[in-house]
Amino acid sequence: MNIIIIEDEKPAARRLNRMLGELNIKVHTMLHSVQESIEWFSTNEHPDLIFLDIQLSDGLSFEIFDAITIKSSIIFTTAYDEYALKAFKLNSIDYLLKPIDDEELEVAVQKYKEQLPQKQQLQVDFEDIKKLLINPMDRTYKKRFTTKVGQHLKIFSVEDIECFYSENKGTYLHTTDNRNYLIDTTLESLEDELNPQQFFRASRKFYININAIQDIISYTNSRLQVKLNHFNEQEIIVARERVKDFKMWLE
């Protein structure tokens, strides 16, 4: 199986390479930009499978497809869950949300293997995905959430929610008055409902509200710890692979 990784953050590329190595999968080549990828595809046999980051240092990776016709199977690696995952799902494309989880990587690889020897057909409307990526302000987002407390329904404005988090297979919201409420959804479902300018997927367990951040502290292995105004039941750690996006979000 001939595999390449296209990822502009070299530490993230090396980490993915190591993770694939643990699955006894050897990566043939690692590329780090749109231009480098175009040049490589122009002179090399195309691989069976590409792990493709969306945002590269010199543009969106979709620009590669504007220049080169590629028939390889693709597993997207993306931090843009708020914008694009719905489009990927509609087009039956595999994707991995950063930071990449070991088990999800294994499942994605296994899904690819099960499709063999039949080649995955690349039928993606990249223009639609680019619109989702570039024009997030055109989208509408939820302004309120409801939860049942006893026989009552409570309504919470997003302005009064410090964070959403998962615990013991449940999803909770934490309010500015320091209370937790179980809600009938998942963090994955929130990706289409939360304004990405206000809420950030800090990890697989947390969405945090930018207005609730009290402090940001350097943490081990180039990670960051986020302190919110009231929530202190668990540590909120921004994974190393998400730190760059987190800093951009803060600005």
Side-chain angles (χ1 to χ4, degrees):
M1 184 162 55
N2 189 359
I3 292 179
I4 70 169
I5 293 172
I6 304 177
E7 164 68 68
D8 67 322
E9 296 184 8
K10 293 184 179 180
R14 289 194 295 267
R15 178 175 182 269
L16 178 54
N17 188 18
R18 289 195 302 270
M19 293 171 71
L20 289 167
E22 291 172 359
L23 297 175
N24 296 316
I25 296 172
K26 184 177 180 180
V27 174
H28 180 271
T29 302
M30 292 194 288
L31 306 171
H32 306 293
S33 70
V34 171
Q35 189 57 42
E36 182 185 13
S37 299
I38 291 173
E39 292 172 1
W40 188 91
F41 280 110
S42 299
T43 57
N44 290 274
E45 181 181 352
H46 293 193
D48 300 307
L49 176 63
I50 304 170
F51 285 87
L52 181 66
D53 187 17
I54 290 177
Q55 182 68 60
L56 300 175
S57 57
D58 56 347
L60 294 177
S61 58
F62 306 139
E63 295 171 27
I64 300 168
F65 301 95
D66 293 335
I68 302 289
T69 299
I70 296 176
K71 297 182 179 180
S72 307
S73 297
I74 293 178
I75 296 176
F76 284 102
T77 62
T78 176
Y80 287 91
D81 55 313
E82 297 93 343
Y83 311 144
L85 291 192
K86 192 170 186 178
F88 298 155
K89 291 174 184 175
L90 290 174
N91 289 283
S92 300
I93 297 293
D94 286 328
Y95 65 90
L96 294 168
L97 177 62
K98 295 181 179 180
I100 295 173
D101 179 81
D102 292 325
E103 292 184 4
E104 292 189 358
L105 174 62
E106 186 173 2
V107 168
V109 170
Q110 185 60 35
K111 181 178 178 181
Y112 165 75
K113 288 181 176 179
E114 290 173 356
Q115 293 175 346
L116 296 176
Q118 179 180 345
K119 267 285 194 183
Q120 177 184 340
Q121 296 300 311
L122 188 63
Q123 297 177 339
V124 185
D125 191 334
F126 289 115
E127 290 304 315
D128 279 352
I129 298 179
K130 281 193 277 189
K131 288 176 185 176
L132 288 172
L133 288 166
I134 297 169
N135 300 310
M137 292 304 294
D138 292 341
R139 296 166 59 106
T140 57
Y141 302 98
K142 287 189 70 168
K143 294 180 173 60
R144 290 174 295 277
F145 286 82
T146 61
T147 185
K148 187 174 181 182
V149 180
Q151 298 300 313
H152 303 272
L153 284 177
K154 291 184 71 69
I155 303 172
F156 300 96
S157 165
V158 292
E159 304 301 330
D160 297 324
I161 299 172
E162 285 198 342
C163 66
F164 297 87
Y165 67 98
S166 61
E167 185 176 53
N168 297 326
K169 299 184 179 180
T171 303
Y172 297 80
L173 61 82
H174 186 86
T175 63
T176 53
D177 62 355
N178 204 25
R179 296 191 177 187
N180 300 306
Y181 295 91
L182 179 66
I183 55 176
D184 186 19
T185 189
T186 64
L187 289 189
E188 286 66 33
S189 298
L190 293 174
E191 68 200 17
D192 293 321
E193 300 177 336
L194 297 176
N195 186 339
Q197 290 195 327
Q198 185 175 4
F199 288 89
F200 182 81
R201 185 78 177 266
S203 68
R204 305 202 70 81
K205 295 186 65 175
F206 284 96
Y207 269 107
I208 58 176
N209 187 338
I210 193 168
N211 299 314
I213 295 176
Q214 181 186 88
D215 197 8
I216 303 169
I217 307 165
S218 295
Y219 204 72
T220 58
N221 296 325
S222 302
R223 297 176 294 171
L224 295 173
Q225 181 179 14
V226 178
K227 299 280 191 181
L228 302 184
N229 291 328
H230 299 97
F231 183 85
N232 58 11
E233 297 181 22
Q234 302 179 42
E235 285 188 334
I236 302 175
I237 306 298
V238 181
R240 180 174 56 188
E241 294 79 10
R242 301 230 68 192
V243 166
K244 179 181 177 181
D245 294 322
F246 177 68
K247 290 180 177 178
M248 291 176 61
W249 175 68
L250 292 175
E251 297 174 356

